[in-house]
Amino acid sequence: MIPVNEPLLNGNEIAYLTECITSGWISSEGPFVRRLEDGMAKLCARQQGIAVANGSVALDVAVAALGIGAGDEVILPSFTIISCAAAIVRAGAIPVVVDADPVTWNMDVALVEAAITPRTKALMVVHIYGLPTDMEPVLALAVRHNLKIIEDCAEQIGQTYRMVNGEVRAIGSFGDIATFSFYPNKHVTTGEGGMLLADDPDLISRARGLRNLCFGEKDRFRHEELGWNFRMSNLQAAVGVAQLERIDEFVVKKREIGRWYCEELADCRDLEIPPAQTGYSQNIYWVFGLVLCDHVPCDSKDIMKALGERGIGTRPFFWPMHEQPVFQKMGLFTSAQCPVSERLARRGFYLPSGLSLTRDQAHQSARALLNCLSQLQGHKA
Ligand SMILES: *Cc1c(COP(=O)(O)O)cnc(C)c1O
């Protein structure tokens, strides 16, 4: 079986974990937590990092730290992970979805302005799979309508964006708060873990408080607000520090995997292959996603099943927020029109693309896919 994702843990991970054990520092008070926070802040040119338990709760903290609550609307892509909409709904605010761009699969920036109302408080931008959201128009909208930006960068650690004036900025440098996940399929992993980045001292201290039960500043056990225990342990951070040391190498490897698949699949007429670059960025291929062309007479489900039988691990694309049973039951998104997201969910899937993937495994996966496509179409023709 070729797994859909296998992380690469052969750097200083063991040495740093050993240091945690021998020193006795295993809780969130240990020194690796601050080292990981500083390392991530440096990577994205931000003032501070706030390490948390995972990327989903990073979004909860971001929404809460920005003071988003009842009656507020937050605009986000329909084509994303549930954590994004969940954070908004749990805060008592209203998520408003925007459809995906058919080429980059990110929120279609041209559709955002029409979704803004007097109640809109923030834009939750999510950089999906390999290409970032086109940030300059988003920044302009945020300024014009006085909106906050939450930037979910979970899938694009180490990615950059080139501004119209030529300046190259890190993904994660745009949002009032940027959030990250360190799940094992992300470019930097801590097993489970997450991070917020921000510049504003007030936001930073709010996020730090919310992460840690909002302990009192003067009297520890007197609380002005409710927080959570979303702390990251020193053990997790130790793995993250070892991983982050290799981010440049990891990004190179991800792009190399993307090139392998592009070469292998270049002649296939049944697949929409994501562009290697846009005017502002180069694809980082968090995962190597593909979309079945309309003439292919089956959905990605059938292709994934056939690939599984050939020992190739795959995953479907996200299921759009406006089609989630849990949100439909809440009466949300009743008027959402997101045909692109609906198509991506049904026609998209991704191939094995973890950092441990070898050239030969990519070759085998691509051959198996081409083989499945011709067989499935042969049988149904
Ligand atoms: C992985 C991911 C998350 C959630 O991260 P967890 O650490 O798994 O909670 C949030 N947003 C995006 C875009 C992700 O890909």
Side-chain angles (χ1 to χ4, degrees), residues 124-148:
M124 185 181 278
V125 176
V126 190
H127 303 296
I128 299 286
Y129 299 171
L131 291 164
T133 305
D134 191 2
M135 286 310 293
E136 249 175 329
V138 173
L139 295 176
L141 277 178
V143 169
R144 187 156 359 117
H145 296 273
N146 190 26
L147 305 174
K148 299 292 182 196

mmCIF file of all heavy atoms in Angstrom, residues 124-148:
data_model
loop_
_atom_site.group_PDB
_atom_site.id
_atom_site.type_symbol
_atom_site.label_atom_id
_atom_site.label_comp_id
_atom_site.label_asym_id
_atom_site.label_seq_id
_atom_site.Cartn_x
_atom_site.Cartn_y
_atom_site.Cartn_z
ATOM 1 N N MET A 124 -12.563 35.350 6.595
ATOM 2 C CA MET A 124 -11.714 34.219 6.957
ATOM 3 C C MET A 124 -11.194 33.619 5.647
ATOM 4 O O MET A 124 -11.932 32.972 4.913
ATOM 5 C CB MET A 124 -12.497 33.176 7.759
ATOM 6 C CG MET A 124 -11.616 32.044 8.263
ATOM 7 S SD MET A 124 -12.558 30.807 9.184
ATOM 8 C CE MET A 124 -12.661 31.564 10.806
ATOM 9 N N VAL A 125 -9.940 33.919 5.369
ATOM 10 C CA VAL A 125 -9.316 33.474 4.124
ATOM 11 C C VAL A 125 -8.632 32.140 4.398
ATOM 12 O O VAL A 125 -7.927 32.008 5.393
ATOM 13 C CB VAL A 125 -8.272 34.513 3.670
ATOM 14 C CG1 VAL A 125 -7.543 34.037 2.437
ATOM 15 C CG2 VAL A 125 -8.926 35.857 3.428
ATOM 16 N N VAL A 126 -8.849 31.161 3.547
ATOM 17 C CA VAL A 126 -8.209 29.853 3.733
ATOM 18 C C VAL A 126 -7.402 29.536 2.479
ATOM 19 O O VAL A 126 -7.949 29.533 1.376
ATOM 20 C CB VAL A 126 -9.262 28.745 3.954
ATOM 21 C CG1 VAL A 126 -8.575 27.454 4.380
ATOM 22 C CG2 VAL A 126 -10.303 29.165 4.992
ATOM 23 N N HIS A 127 -6.126 29.316 2.657
ATOM 24 C CA HIS A 127 -5.280 28.953 1.512
ATOM 25 C C HIS A 127 -5.429 27.452 1.288
ATOM 26 O O HIS A 127 -4.981 26.643 2.098
ATOM 27 C CB HIS A 127 -3.831 29.343 1.774
ATOM 28 C CG HIS A 127 -3.662 30.798 2.086
ATOM 29 N ND1 HIS A 127 -3.947 31.789 1.174
ATOM 30 C CD2 HIS A 127 -3.265 31.435 3.218
ATOM 31 C CE1 HIS A 127 -3.717 32.975 1.729
ATOM 32 N NE2 HIS A 127 -3.302 32.789 2.973
ATOM 33 N N ILE A 128 -6.092 27.097 0.178
ATOM 34 C CA ILE A 128 -6.509 25.709 -0.035
ATOM 35 C C ILE A 128 -5.470 24.943 -0.859
ATOM 36 O O ILE A 128 -5.098 25.386 -1.947
ATOM 37 C CB ILE A 128 -7.870 25.687 -0.777
ATOM 38 C CG1 ILE A 128 -8.956 26.379 0.066
ATOM 39 C CG2 ILE A 128 -8.270 24.279 -1.179
ATOM 40 C CD1 ILE A 128 -9.452 25.600 1.258
ATOM 41 N N TYR A 129 -5.061 23.808 -0.365
ATOM 42 C CA TYR A 129 -4.164 22.882 -1.071
ATOM 43 C C TYR A 129 -2.844 23.573 -1.453
ATOM 44 O O TYR A 129 -2.093 23.870 -0.537
ATOM 45 C CB TYR A 129 -4.886 22.223 -2.247
ATOM 46 C CG TYR A 129 -6.111 21.383 -1.816
ATOM 47 C CD1 TYR A 129 -6.993 20.865 -2.742
ATOM 48 C CD2 TYR A 129 -6.376 21.137 -0.478
ATOM 49 C CE1 TYR A 129 -8.103 20.103 -2.356
ATOM 50 C CE2 TYR A 129 -7.474 20.385 -0.079
ATOM 51 C CZ TYR A 129 -8.331 19.872 -1.015
ATOM 52 O OH TYR A 129 -9.413 19.141 -0.631
ATOM 53 N N GLY A 130 -2.607 23.864 -2.731
ATOM 54 C CA GLY A 130 -1.242 24.318 -3.071
ATOM 55 C C GLY A 130 -1.048 25.756 -3.454
ATOM 56 O O GLY A 130 0.068 26.270 -3.368
ATOM 57 N N LEU A 131 -2.129 26.418 -3.891
ATOM 58 C CA LEU A 131 -1.986 27.804 -4.350
ATOM 59 C C LEU A 131 -2.676 28.735 -3.364
ATOM 60 O O LEU A 131 -3.800 28.471 -2.947
ATOM 61 C CB LEU A 131 -2.624 27.972 -5.736
ATOM 62 C CG LEU A 131 -1.908 27.267 -6.893
ATOM 63 C CD1 LEU A 131 -2.820 27.172 -8.112
ATOM 64 C CD2 LEU A 131 -0.611 27.973 -7.248
ATOM 65 N N PRO A 132 -2.019 29.837 -2.994
ATOM 66 C CA PRO A 132 -2.654 30.723 -2.024
ATOM 67 C C PRO A 132 -3.797 31.529 -2.644
ATOM 68 O O PRO A 132 -3.878 31.694 -3.853
ATOM 69 C CB PRO A 132 -1.529 31.649 -1.585
ATOM 70 C CG PRO A 132 -0.514 31.594 -2.653
ATOM 71 C CD PRO A 132 -0.672 30.280 -3.366
ATOM 72 N N THR A 133 -4.655 32.042 -1.775
ATOM 73 C CA THR A 133 -5.694 32.985 -2.179
ATOM 74 C C THR A 133 -5.009 34.257 -2.671
ATOM 75 O O THR A 133 -3.970 34.657 -2.144
ATOM 76 C CB THR A 133 -6.576 33.306 -0.948
ATOM 77 O OG1 THR A 133 -7.054 32.070 -0.418
ATOM 78 C CG2 THR A 133 -7.741 34.206 -1.317
ATOM 79 N N ASP A 134 -5.610 34.893 -3.662
ATOM 80 C CA ASP A 134 -5.061 36.151 -4.181
ATOM 81 C C ASP A 134 -5.287 37.247 -3.131
ATOM 82 O O ASP A 134 -6.385 37.768 -2.979
ATOM 83 C CB ASP A 134 -5.762 36.491 -5.507
ATOM 84 C CG ASP A 134 -5.050 37.632 -6.217
ATOM 85 O OD1 ASP A 134 -4.016 38.110 -5.716
ATOM 86 O OD2 ASP A 134 -5.551 38.037 -7.281
ATOM 87 N N MET A 135 -4.238 37.570 -2.379
ATOM 88 C CA MET A 135 -4.418 38.383 -1.171
ATOM 89 C C MET A 135 -4.566 39.879 -1.404
ATOM 90 O O MET A 135 -5.216 40.559 -0.620
ATOM 91 C CB MET A 135 -3.264 38.145 -0.185
ATOM 92 C CG MET A 135 -3.320 36.813 0.527
ATOM 93 S SD MET A 135 -4.919 36.423 1.296
ATOM 94 C CE MET A 135 -5.033 37.650 2.603
ATOM 95 N N GLU A 136 -3.970 40.414 -2.461
ATOM 96 C CA GLU A 136 -4.003 41.879 -2.598
ATOM 97 C C GLU A 136 -5.431 42.415 -2.737
ATOM 98 O O GLU A 136 -5.786 43.370 -2.044
ATOM 99 C CB GLU A 136 -3.089 42.340 -3.735
ATOM 100 C CG GLU A 136 -1.904 43.066 -3.149
ATOM 101 C CD GLU A 136 -0.850 43.480 -4.149
ATOM 102 O OE1 GLU A 136 -0.661 42.789 -5.177
ATOM 103 O OE2 GLU A 136 -0.199 44.500 -3.882
ATOM 104 N N PRO A 137 -6.280 41.831 -3.575
ATOM 105 C CA PRO A 137 -7.672 42.302 -3.624
ATOM 106 C C PRO A 137 -8.405 42.098 -2.293
ATOM 107 O O PRO A 137 -9.263 42.918 -1.929
ATOM 108 C CB PRO A 137 -8.312 41.428 -4.715
ATOM 109 C CG PRO A 137 -7.208 40.774 -5.451
ATOM 110 C CD PRO A 137 -6.002 40.795 -4.578
ATOM 111 N N VAL A 138 -8.055 41.052 -1.567
ATOM 112 C CA VAL A 138 -8.691 40.806 -0.265
ATOM 113 C C VAL A 138 -8.302 41.909 0.724
ATOM 114 O O VAL A 138 -9.141 42.431 1.458
ATOM 115 C CB VAL A 138 -8.297 39.413 0.284
ATOM 116 C CG1 VAL A 138 -8.804 39.221 1.708
ATOM 117 C CG2 VAL A 138 -8.816 38.300 -0.624
ATOM 118 N N LEU A 139 -7.031 42.272 0.705
ATOM 119 C CA LEU A 139 -6.568 43.339 1.605
ATOM 120 C C LEU A 139 -7.280 44.653 1.290
ATOM 121 O O LEU A 139 -7.694 45.379 2.191
ATOM 122 C CB LEU A 139 -5.048 43.541 1.459
ATOM 123 C CG LEU A 139 -4.160 42.382 1.895
ATOM 124 C CD1 LEU A 139 -2.694 42.693 1.594
ATOM 125 C CD2 LEU A 139 -4.331 42.082 3.383
ATOM 126 N N ALA A 140 -7.463 44.921 0.000
ATOM 127 C CA ALA A 140 -8.134 46.161 -0.405
ATOM 128 C C ALA A 140 -9.579 46.173 0.093
ATOM 129 O O ALA A 140 -10.054 47.192 0.610
ATOM 130 C CB ALA A 140 -8.082 46.305 -1.926
ATOM 131 N N LEU A 141 -10.255 45.055 -0.035
ATOM 132 C CA LEU A 141 -11.643 44.956 0.448
ATOM 133 C C LEU A 141 -11.711 45.166 1.951
ATOM 134 O O LEU A 141 -12.614 45.839 2.459
ATOM 135 C CB LEU A 141 -12.212 43.567 0.136
ATOM 136 C CG LEU A 141 -12.786 43.319 -1.246
ATOM 137 C CD1 LEU A 141 -13.241 41.866 -1.353
ATOM 138 C CD2 LEU A 141 -13.934 44.275 -1.521
ATOM 139 N N ALA A 142 -10.765 44.563 2.667
ATOM 140 C CA ALA A 142 -10.760 44.664 4.128
ATOM 141 C C ALA A 142 -10.584 46.115 4.556
ATOM 142 O O ALA A 142 -11.253 46.577 5.493
ATOM 143 C CB ALA A 142 -9.660 43.785 4.715
ATOM 144 N N VAL A 143 -9.721 46.830 3.857
ATOM 145 C CA VAL A 143 -9.512 48.241 4.189
ATOM 146 C C VAL A 143 -10.775 49.030 3.873
ATOM 147 O O VAL A 143 -11.279 49.789 4.710
ATOM 148 C CB VAL A 143 -8.298 48.813 3.407
ATOM 149 C CG1 VAL A 143 -8.234 50.326 3.534
ATOM 150 C CG2 VAL A 143 -6.997 48.170 3.904
ATOM 151 N N ARG A 144 -11.329 48.813 2.677
ATOM 152 C CA ARG A 144 -12.484 49.589 2.227
ATOM 153 C C ARG A 144 -13.694 49.379 3.141
ATOM 154 O O ARG A 144 -14.456 50.288 3.390
ATOM 155 C CB ARG A 144 -12.830 49.207 0.789
ATOM 156 C CG ARG A 144 -13.901 50.081 0.176
ATOM 157 C CD ARG A 144 -13.886 50.144 -1.370
ATOM 158 N NE ARG A 144 -12.853 49.386 -2.025
ATOM 159 C CZ ARG A 144 -13.098 48.355 -2.854
ATOM 160 N NH1 ARG A 144 -14.337 47.960 -3.086
ATOM 161 N NH2 ARG A 144 -12.103 47.731 -3.447
ATOM 162 N N HIS A 145 -13.872 48.161 3.629
ATOM 163 C CA HIS A 145 -15.067 47.867 4.432
ATOM 164 C C HIS A 145 -14.758 47.712 5.919
ATOM 165 O O HIS A 145 -15.591 47.238 6.679
ATOM 166 C CB HIS A 145 -15.756 46.599 3.909
ATOM 167 C CG HIS A 145 -16.279 46.744 2.510
ATOM 168 N ND1 HIS A 145 -17.520 47.241 2.231
ATOM 169 C CD2 HIS A 145 -15.704 46.473 1.313
ATOM 170 C CE1 HIS A 145 -17.705 47.266 0.911
ATOM 171 N NE2 HIS A 145 -16.620 46.804 0.330
ATOM 172 N N ASN A 146 -13.527 48.041 6.295
ATOM 173 C CA ASN A 146 -13.123 47.981 7.703
ATOM 174 C C ASN A 146 -13.356 46.587 8.309
ATOM 175 O O ASN A 146 -14.030 46.437 9.317
ATOM 176 C CB ASN A 146 -13.862 49.053 8.501
ATOM 177 C CG ASN A 146 -13.303 49.202 9.902
ATOM 178 O OD1 ASN A 146 -12.116 48.899 10.121
ATOM 179 N ND2 ASN A 146 -14.122 49.620 10.845
ATOM 180 N N LEU A 147 -12.794 45.572 7.656
ATOM 181 C CA LEU A 147 -12.975 44.188 8.099
ATOM 182 C C LEU A 147 -11.657 43.624 8.623
ATOM 183 O O LEU A 147 -10.577 43.971 8.149
ATOM 184 C CB LEU A 147 -13.446 43.325 6.912
ATOM 185 C CG LEU A 147 -14.703 43.793 6.185
ATOM 186 C CD1 LEU A 147 -14.952 42.938 4.953
ATOM 187 C CD2 LEU A 147 -15.892 43.777 7.130
ATOM 188 N N LYS A 148 -11.769 42.738 9.590
ATOM 189 C CA LYS A 148 -10.593 41.997 10.059
ATOM 190 C C LYS A 148 -10.350 40.819 9.118
ATOM 191 O O LYS A 148 -11.276 40.342 8.455
ATOM 192 C CB LYS A 148 -10.833 41.461 11.476
ATOM 193 C CG LYS A 148 -11.094 42.549 12.499
ATOM 194 C CD LYS A 148 -9.848 43.364 12.728
ATOM 195 C CE LYS A 148 -10.080 44.434 13.799
ATOM 196 N NZ LYS A 148 -9.009 45.463 13.735
#
